[in-house]
């Protein structure tokens, strides 16, 4: 990074030409290997420099060598991981998976390197800036939590457990990524209720009041198929088949893999002197401990329970009236009946807004809104290397200057492909360093792809997801201008990372914001403000139920990492969770844990979503207090960019919250948000 030029000029012929982008000229496993190896070597070289005796070196210079070594490792690790998720060639994905593990192992080795720890511990940073002091303090804490001060045999044990966790986690994720289930629909009439453009995509048409197709209809569990089927298909049997297919992904292969992973983590926590993995994984987070997590989840449950009961009672009464045979309501009925309820009670049909959300228009609109809100502009860069022709690269510039140099680059990889990760996520690619290296990051999503004949109309929930992921992206870019690479981008405590994403979601409810881009794809008419009002009112119904669903996932993530692994029964625990938190009946055969990839990344800390929702709502309230013409361009937007996003990981997240709010957070905003539909 910092010495890119030097690296290029001294490159031997075997070294990759583009040291910043793994995907540039990536044709096979060997290319991937060579690129990753060159960064691993660069990292080792910095560490060797750091450990070489040099009395003339300042504390900042020594910390700088460590920072560069870690930057090279992160580059290699994050890009290998992203190629594992997105690369069109299966052999490259296989290699990337292996390489990801290799880099992780190198990272573990560095985290247990006692010489490096001692060299860093000896540094005197007392006269440095606050960010530098915090960086050193946080780095040393990370070393101690990794077990660097244990004896050799213990460190060896930790190393092997960490490597095993990495391997199991990657294996789990890979199985989910490759597992697309297919459902044959023998009678096209089962697709009744689905939107016309959906039917057309599957070659289904109406003839004499019947739905007919020339070829058998095969549905997949990919998000652009799954969501419409669960929301609109009138056939309860079809919905149930789809639900079970989706919630069976990864099963049975992943069940023992998950148990093994949980056991490995438990052992690791034990070796490090913690009661459970959940305690270890929260000790350096805002949350602090598993006990605090338990208390927090119970508070959220308490805040939602009464309203959830009310929502469900209303829904049940509605179904009893419409179709008593549809009772009792199961989890595979939830989305369909909630949609029917909203149509009848709120006069809001979610299909009616889809024509305002053709994919390309949504993308353009979000770029304009984010540009205004964050004071940047995006410029398509068609020369930037990408890993697939569908991927678009944009350079990000400061809006306020005519500065020729970008401050970052983003990539949008937005449609499903075979072998590509099936989820919606944001991924760091290149860590930024102030004045030396611009940050780069990507979205990896699965929206309906527009074609010449099909504008790719999104569901409104898709647009909310787009806002969410874009919030992460802006955090990465605007937080990516730090002195230290290790504090750059999304580098706060892990349980703060869902704040900027969920904060941006809130803008979706503002008619004035939506009307700037949500225009009917045939007439060009902006979405009526009154429709947005109905949409937001309707979508507020069911909030308490979905909050309890989040509490259920969070509890599952906590309990799997807080109980003894040997006594865990994944199915029983799942069933208990649904029985306790969901009002809907459990569907036998639901094994969602086998594809619950958050258990790999977030481990015990799925609570992050709820915890950060509280903060995000309070943050958004600061925006909402202003007059609406100031929403995007007022003083709050500037403060937010400056105090929250630009801070990156340069200070504790609790301090970031206080800087922006001027106070601590409370549960009030969440309570209001949950109960809004029933507020007097
Ligand atoms: Zn997120």
């Amino acid at each position: 990074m910092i010495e890119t030029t030097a690296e290029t000029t001294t490159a031997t012929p075997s070294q990759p030409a583009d040291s910043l982008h793994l995907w540039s000229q990536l044709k096979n496993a060997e290319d991937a290997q060579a690129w990753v190896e060159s960064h691993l070597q660069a990292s080792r070289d910095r560490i060797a420099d750091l450990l070489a005796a040099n009395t003339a070196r300042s504390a900042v210079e020594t910390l700088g060598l460590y920072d560069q070594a870690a930057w090279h490792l992160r580059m290699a690790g994050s890009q290998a991981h992203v190629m594992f998720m997105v690369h069109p060639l299966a052999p490259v994905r296989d290699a990337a998976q292996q390489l990801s593990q290799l880099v992780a192992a190198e990272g573990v080795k560095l985290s247990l390197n006692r010489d490096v720890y001692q060299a860093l511990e000896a540094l005197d940073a007392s006269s440095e800036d606050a960010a530098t002091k915090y960086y050193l303090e946080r780095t040393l804490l990370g070393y101690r939590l990794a077990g660097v001060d244990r004896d050799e045999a213990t460190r060896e044990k930790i190393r092997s457990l960490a490597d095993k966790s990495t391997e199991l986690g990657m294996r789990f994720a890979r199985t989910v990524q490759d597992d697309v289930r297919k459902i044959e629909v023998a009678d096209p009439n089962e697709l009744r209720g689905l939107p016309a453009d959906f039917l057309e995509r599957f070659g289904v048409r109406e003839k004499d009041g019947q739905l007919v197709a020339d070829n058998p209809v095969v549905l997949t569990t990919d998000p652009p198929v799954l969501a419409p089927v669960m929301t609109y298909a009138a056939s309860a049997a079809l919905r149930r088949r789809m639900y079970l297919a989706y919630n069976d992904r990864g099963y049975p292969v992943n069940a023992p893999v998950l148990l093994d992973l949980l056991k490995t983590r438990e052992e690791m926590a034990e070796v490090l002197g913690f009661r459970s993995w959940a305690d270890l994984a929260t000790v350096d987070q805002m949350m602090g401990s598993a006990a605090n997590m338990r208390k927090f989840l119970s508070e959220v449950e308490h805040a939602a329970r009464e309203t959830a009961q009310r929502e469900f009672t209303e829904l049940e009464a509605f179904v009893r009236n419409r179709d008593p045979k549809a009772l009792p309501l199961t989890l595979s009925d939830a989305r369909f009946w909630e949609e029917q309820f909203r149509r009848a009670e709120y006069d809001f049909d979610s299909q009616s807004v889809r024509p305002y959300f053709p994919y390309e228009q949504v993308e353009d609109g979000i770029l304009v809104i984010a540009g205004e809100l964050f004071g940047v502009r995006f410029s398509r860069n068609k020369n930037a290397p990408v890993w697939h022709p569908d991927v678009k690269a944009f350079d990000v510039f400061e809006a306020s200057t005519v500065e020729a140099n970008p401050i970052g680059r983003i990539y949008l990889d937005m449609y499903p492909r075979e072998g590509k990760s099936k989820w919606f996520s944001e991924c760091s690619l290149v860590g930024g360093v102030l004045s030396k290296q611009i940050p780069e990051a990507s979205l990896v999503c699965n929206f309906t792809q527009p074609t010449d004949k099909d504008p790719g109309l999104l569901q409104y929930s898709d647009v909310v997801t787009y806002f969410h992921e874009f919030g992460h992206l802006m955090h990465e870019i605007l937080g990516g201008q730090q002195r230290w690479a290790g504090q750059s981008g999304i580098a706060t405590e892990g349980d703060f990372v869902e704040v900027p994403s969920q904060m941006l979601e809130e803008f979706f409810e503002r008619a004035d914001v939506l009307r700037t881009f949500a225009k009917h794809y045939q007439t060009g008419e902006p979405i009526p403000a009154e429709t947005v009002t109905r949409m937001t009112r309707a979508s507020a119904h069911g909030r308490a139920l979905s909050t309890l669903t989040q509490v259920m996932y969070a509890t599952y993530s906590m309990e799997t990492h807080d109980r003894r692994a040997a006594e865990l029964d994944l199915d029983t625990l799942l069933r208990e969770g649904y029985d306790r938190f969901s009002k809907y009946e459990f569907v036998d055969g639901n094994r969602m844990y086998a594809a619950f990839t958050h258990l790999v990344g977030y481990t015990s800390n799925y609570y992050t979503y709820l915890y950060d929702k509280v903060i995000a709502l309070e943050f958004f309230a600061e925006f909402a207090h202003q007059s609406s013409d100031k929403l995007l361009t007022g003083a709050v937007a500037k403060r937010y960019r400056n105090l929250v996003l630009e801070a990156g990981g340069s200070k504790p997240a609790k301090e970031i919250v206080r800087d922006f709010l001027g106070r601590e957070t409370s549960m009030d905003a969440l309570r209001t948000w949950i109960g809004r539909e029933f507020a007097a």
Side-chain angles (χ1 to χ4, degrees):
M1 63 165 172
I2 302 169
E3 319 84 332
T4 313
T5 353
E7 271 169 27
T8 317
T9 50
T10 58
T12 55
S14 68
Q15 271 185 311
D18 186 345
S19 67
L20 280 180
H21 308 112
L22 165 56
W23 56 90
S24 175
Q25 296 163 14
L26 174 56
K27 289 180 242 33
N28 51 44
E30 289 71 34
D31 294 341
Q33 174 127 13
W35 191 92
V36 166
E37 291 284 2
S38 77
H39 280 282
L40 290 183
Q41 193 50 50
S43 178
R44 287 180 207 123
D45 291 347
R46 299 302 175 280
I47 293 299
D49 287 351
L50 186 155
L51 293 176
N54 183 346
T55 47
R57 204 170 46 215
S58 69
V60 163
E61 282 165 340
T62 303
L63 188 58
L65 288 170
Y66 170 80
D67 194 47
Q68 290 170 30
W71 180 87
H72 280 288
L73 272 187
R74 268 197 308 278
M75 277 285 278
S78 54
Q79 294 197 19
H81 190 80
V82 174
M83 288 308 107
F84 156 68
M85 289 165 73
V86 301
H87 203 274
L89 301 173
V92 173
R93 288 197 302 277
D94 291 340
Q97 181 178 357
Q98 296 298 322
L99 290 165
S100 242
Q101 278 165 230
L102 186 74
V103 180
E106 188 85 7
V108 172
K109 249 200 272 170
L110 180 57
S111 75
L112 291 166
N113 187 323
R114 190 176 279 184
D115 296 336
V116 174
Y117 173 67
Q118 282 165 349
L120 294 175
E121 205 190 19
L123 298 181
D124 176 10
S126 56
S127 58
E128 299 301 327
D129 58 25
T132 302
K133 279 187 250 181
Y134 180 59
Y135 185 37
L136 184 58
E137 189 189 301
R138 204 61 201 166
T139 303
L140 293 173
L141 173 66
Y143 266 103
R144 286 191 297 273
L145 286 175
V148 76
D149 44 9
R150 306 307 158 101
D151 61 59
E152 175 115 32
T154 312
R155 277 185 290 147
E156 184 48 37
K157 168 112 181 145
I158 293 170
R159 201 190 51 71
S160 85
L161 288 170
D163 288 353
K164 191 173 169 196
S165 294
T166 308
E167 191 271 319
L168 290 166
M170 299 269 331
R171 194 159 13 126
F172 185 94
R174 178 67 187 267
T175 300
V176 178
Q177 186 166 312
D178 289 347
D179 192 353
V180 175
R181 301 290 171 104
K182 294 192 165 70
I183 298 174
E184 266 203 58
V185 182
D187 177 2
N189 284 299
E190 273 207 291
L191 299 169
R192 211 163 274 287
L194 280 152
D197 57 338
F198 182 97
L199 297 177
E200 209 170 297
R201 219 174 303 142
F202 288 92
V204 177
R205 60 190 190 281
E206 180 132 13
K207 197 182 161 198
D208 309 326
Q210 294 291 307
L211 291 181
V212 294
D214 299 330
N215 300 307
V217 177
V218 180
L219 304 176
T220 67
T221 48
D222 282 345
V225 183
L226 169 84
V229 169
M230 298 312 295
T231 314
Y232 302 123
S235 161
L238 176 66
R239 291 195 311 263
R240 191 183 172 90
R241 259 154 59 217
M242 180 59 104
Y243 180 87
L244 283 173
Y246 184 73
N247 286 296
D248 196 51
R249 289 171 313 137
Y251 190 83
V253 182
N254 268 350
V257 177
L258 178 57
L259 282 172
D260 204 3
L261 177 61
L262 295 169
K263 198 167 115 285
T264 309
R265 285 176 180 161
E266 176 182 87
E267 245 184 283
M268 175 83 104
E270 243 166 46
V271 172
L272 290 166
F274 286 84
R275 188 189 50 86
S276 71
W277 176 272
D279 264 344
L280 169 61
T282 44
V283 70
D284 61 346
Q285 301 295 300
M286 296 175 86
M287 187 57 88
S289 71
N292 288 348
M293 195 199 307
R294 206 170 278 282
K295 181 162 163 281
F296 169 76
L297 291 176
S298 127
E299 275 170 23
V300 178
E301 181 189 356
H302 203 76
R305 196 159 263 304
E306 212 173 293
T307 310
Q309 186 56 54
R310 196 162 160 181
E311 287 171 349
F312 191 74
T313 307
E314 287 186 359
L315 186 64
E316 253 186 333
F318 170 79
V319 178
R320 192 168 297 120
N321 224 340
R322 275 286 179 90
D323 181 7
K325 287 195 302 298
L327 292 174
L329 291 174
T330 73
L331 286 159
S332 57
D333 299 321
R335 274 156 88 167
F336 174 79
W337 281 109
E338 278 166 10
E339 168 72 17
Q340 298 299 316
F341 180 81
R342 289 176 187 140
R343 282 185 195 177
E345 302 295 313
Y346 292 87
D347 190 22
F348 175 69
D349 173 349
S350 68
Q351 282 191 41
S352 71
V353 295
R354 290 182 58 242
Y356 297 95
F357 299 128
Y359 178 82
E360 296 284 356
Q361 210 172 282
V362 170
E363 180 177 292
D364 292 347
I366 286 178
L367 290 174
V368 170
I369 289 165
E372 273 194 50
L373 184 61
F374 301 115
V376 295
R377 68 191 157 79
F378 301 90
S379 170
R380 179 83 190 267
N381 183 342
K382 291 193 173 171
N383 297 320
V386 292
W387 48 88
H388 186 274
D390 286 346
V391 180
K392 293 180 194 166
F394 295 82
D395 287 332
V396 188
F397 294 88
E398 289 287 2
S400 56
T401 63
V402 282
E403 176 67 59
N405 297 321
I407 58 165
R409 182 178 291 171
I410 61 168
Y411 300 83
L412 303 179
D413 182 355
M414 307 305 267
Y415 318 122
R417 284 192 298 275
E418 200 184 313
K420 178 181 152 180
S421 158
K422 296 295 173 276
W423 201 240
F424 298 81
S425 52
E426 183 275 343
C427 313
S428 167
L429 293 167
V430 180
V433 180
L434 190 65
S435 315
K436 288 179 179 153
Q437 175 59 55
I438 60 164
E440 300 189 15
S442 179
L443 294 190
V444 176
C445 296
N446 287 278
F447 294 114
T448 305
Q449 181 162 20
T451 64
D452 292 346
K453 282 183 261 157
D454 179 347
L457 303 180
L458 301 185
Q459 307 227 36
Y460 76 91
S461 53
D462 291 331
V463 186
V464 176
T465 302
Y466 206 143
F467 272 74
H468 177 106
E469 299 306 337
F470 217 87
H472 286 307
L473 203 51
M474 293 318 296
H475 193 192
E476 197 85 73
I477 300 299
L478 294 172
Q481 332 282 329
Q482 311 292 335
R483 178 182 188 184
W484 303 109
Q487 296 183 322
S488 202
I490 306 179
T492 49
E493 291 93 323
D495 59 3
F496 183 77
V497 308
E498 298 295 342
V499 174
S501 51
Q502 296 187 95
M503 208 293 288
L504 206 56
E505 281 181 28
E506 293 300 307
F507 281 85
F508 181 78
E509 297 211 340
R510 296 291 298 237
D512 41 353
V513 172
L514 279 192
R515 282 169 60 85
T516 60
F517 72 91
K519 296 179 178 147
H520 198 286
Y521 78 105
Q522 285 161 325
T523 66
E525 205 60 43
I527 190 168
E530 176 268 337
T531 305
V532 179
T533 309
R534 275 189 288 119
M535 174 170 72
T536 49
R537 273 202 65 205
S539 63
H541 192 280
R543 248 177 211 175
L545 286 167
S546 65
T547 301
L548 284 186
T549 304
Q550 288 294 84
V551 178
M552 182 198 68
Y553 292 142
T555 304
Y556 199 79
S557 142
M558 172 178 71
E559 295 293 2
T560 44
H561 292 88
D562 205 39
R563 294 190 187 181
R564 307 292 307 169
E567 289 150 27
L568 263 187
D569 180 329
L570 295 170
D571 289 289
T572 308
L573 187 64
L574 187 69
R575 186 64 194 256
E576 275 171 17
Y578 277 106
D579 287 349
R580 176 169 162 205
F581 296 109
S582 175
K583 308 279 168 201
Y584 296 95
E585 296 221 343
F586 188 78
V587 178
D588 274 324
N590 171 6
R591 308 190 196 275
M592 62 75 64
Y593 55 80
F596 193 6
T597 45
H598 285 85
L599 295 178
V600 175
Y602 279 73
T603 71
S604 56
N605 298 357
Y606 190 89
Y607 72 82
T608 298
Y609 287 93
L610 289 163
Y611 191 71
D612 289 355
K613 185 78 181 174
V614 174
I615 303 171
L617 288 168
E618 299 227 42
F619 278 12
F620 183 70
E622 298 286 306
F623 285 86
H625 288 150
Q626 309 170 104
S627 65
S628 78
D629 59 319
K630 293 281 189 314
L631 187 69
L632 296 176
T633 53
V636 177
K638 288 189 185 63
R639 274 189 350 121
Y640 178 74
R641 171 179 162 169
N642 185 239
L643 297 175
V644 179
L645 300 184
E646 286 181 3
S650 65
K651 52 171 79 168
K654 282 191 172 157
E655 221 172 277
I656 293 175
V657 172
R658 274 198 302 271
D659 286 349
F660 183 66
L661 286 181
R663 57 177 168 80
E664 310 285 327
T665 54
S666 80
M667 293 284 283
D668 294 349
L670 185 73
R671 258 185 227 113
T672 310
W673 181 83
I674 290 171
R676 197 180 68 181
E677 198 34 38
F678 296 96

